[in-house]
Amino acid sequence: MRILLVDDEAPARALVREYLAGMAGCEVVGEAADGFAALEAITRLDPDLVLLDVQMPGLDGFEVVEMLEREPAIVFATAYDEHALKAFEVGAVDYLLKPFDEARLARAIDRALDRARPAGAPLAAAARRLRRPLERLLFRDGARVLVVPAAAVDYVEARGDYAAFRVGTATHAKQQSLSELEELLDPRRFLRIHRSYLLNVGRLVRLELYAKDSRVALLKDGTKLPVSRAGYARLRELASAMIPASDRP
């Protein structure tokens, strides 16, 4: 089993490497000290198993899992037990609470072998429902990872099997459906106005009648997006919810 060690503390990585040295069939193929380095190493080395810390600089362990396109088996290792439930919700093989000994690590390795999954099997889908609304979005640009505040997104357009995020004059792509994004993004800010569009309602200037029972949303930068009947109903509902009860007719 080819293993990648991800922990921001060098002594912790050294101890785990020492444990693994005594386990037949285990090969440490690399190490990373933060979330961004972990993403690069996983992409480059394609390990079978990642021993992943939760709290790290840059990206935390859960954000690393969310960004992965091809996901190896994941064993979380952390000093904080409050993350255990989420770890199993995202499909982690095991959850090691520091400090752990060699025997406990060996059991985690055995579980990984027992639960060997096909390459690319999704880990993060179940956890998305448990998250607070995303405050930042991560995009892969070659070997780089871009971090964009969710509030900076003007709208998201479905384009085949990926979503295009419009941020000012830039567009960032991500392989994700609008249905998934509806669950991830703040519903008070982002609204599905059409089967192909999620709108940051803070960018909306007004709705214009395009044809009978057909409307378009005019944004601050002059962009016009189609609004379906269901989308119009959602906009009206959101507008109504934002009016204090004492001011409603």
Side-chain angles (χ1 to χ4, degrees):
M1 178 167 284
R2 304 173 70 256
I3 301 172
L4 176 70
L5 307 182
V6 182
D7 196 304
D8 62 338
E9 297 180 352
R13 299 197 305 273
L15 180 60
V16 173
R17 182 182 280 272
E18 181 179 326
Y19 288 162
L20 291 171
M23 299 182 191
C26 290
E27 176 191 4
V28 176
V29 295
E31 298 184 11
D34 61 67
F36 290 110
L39 280 174
E40 186 279 330
I42 293 169
T43 301
R44 176 170 50 86
L45 299 171
D46 193 22
D48 303 311
L49 172 67
V50 179
L51 291 173
L52 182 62
D53 195 6
V54 173
Q55 295 189 335
M56 298 180 294
L59 306 174
D60 67 31
F62 294 108
E63 289 172 321
V64 169
V65 170
E66 181 182 326
M67 279 293 293
L68 295 178
E69 295 178 357
R70 291 178 57 84
E71 297 170 349
I74 301 292
V75 171
F76 285 104
T78 179
Y80 304 94
D81 60 2
E82 64 264 29
H83 302 297
L85 176 60
K86 182 184 286 188
F88 288 112
E89 289 290 344
V90 301
V93 170
D94 208 341
Y95 185 90
L96 301 179
L97 188 61
K98 298 177 182 178
F100 52 86
D101 58 19
E102 185 175 352
R104 181 65 183 88
L105 176 60
R107 291 200 299 273
I109 299 297
D110 286 342
R111 286 185 179 181
L113 290 169
D114 290 341
R115 291 180 52 188
R117 64 180 74 231
L123 294 175
R128 292 178 179 136
R129 295 189 296 273
L130 303 178
R131 287 180 176 271
R132 292 176 299 174
L134 288 179
E135 296 180 356
R136 57 182 181 173
L137 295 156
L138 310 175
F139 301 96
R140 191 185 301 278
D141 181 16
R144 297 188 306 146
V145 175
L146 304 178
V147 181
V148 177
V153 175
D154 300 319
Y155 63 90
V156 188
E157 179 184 0
R159 296 182 181 177
D161 62 350
Y162 71 95
F165 295 72
R166 188 69 175 180
V167 183
T169 58
T171 300
H172 305 293
K174 196 178 182 73
Q175 281 196 315
Q176 207 158 22
S177 70
L178 290 194
S179 296
E180 289 177 309
L181 289 168
E182 280 186 281
E183 296 180 4
L184 287 166
L185 296 170
D186 189 343
R188 297 167 299 179
R189 181 186 296 273
F190 288 91
L191 202 65
R192 186 78 169 264
I193 61 168
H194 187 271
R195 68 177 182 275
S196 299
Y197 291 95
L198 270 175
L199 172 66
N200 181 341
V201 293
R203 304 296 194 269
L204 179 64
V205 174
R206 64 177 180 271
L207 294 175
E208 296 181 347
L209 194 64
Y210 178 72
K212 184 179 180 181
D213 294 329
S214 178
R215 294 172 174 82
V216 295
L218 176 65
L219 310 192
K220 291 180 179 179
D221 66 355
T223 299
K224 292 184 177 182
L225 302 178
V227 179
S228 66
R229 290 183 181 180
Y232 180 59
R234 294 187 190 104
L235 284 168
R236 286 174 57 89
E237 183 179 352
L238 180 62
S240 177
M242 295 174 66
I243 300 174
S246 58
D247 294 341
R248 296 175 190 169

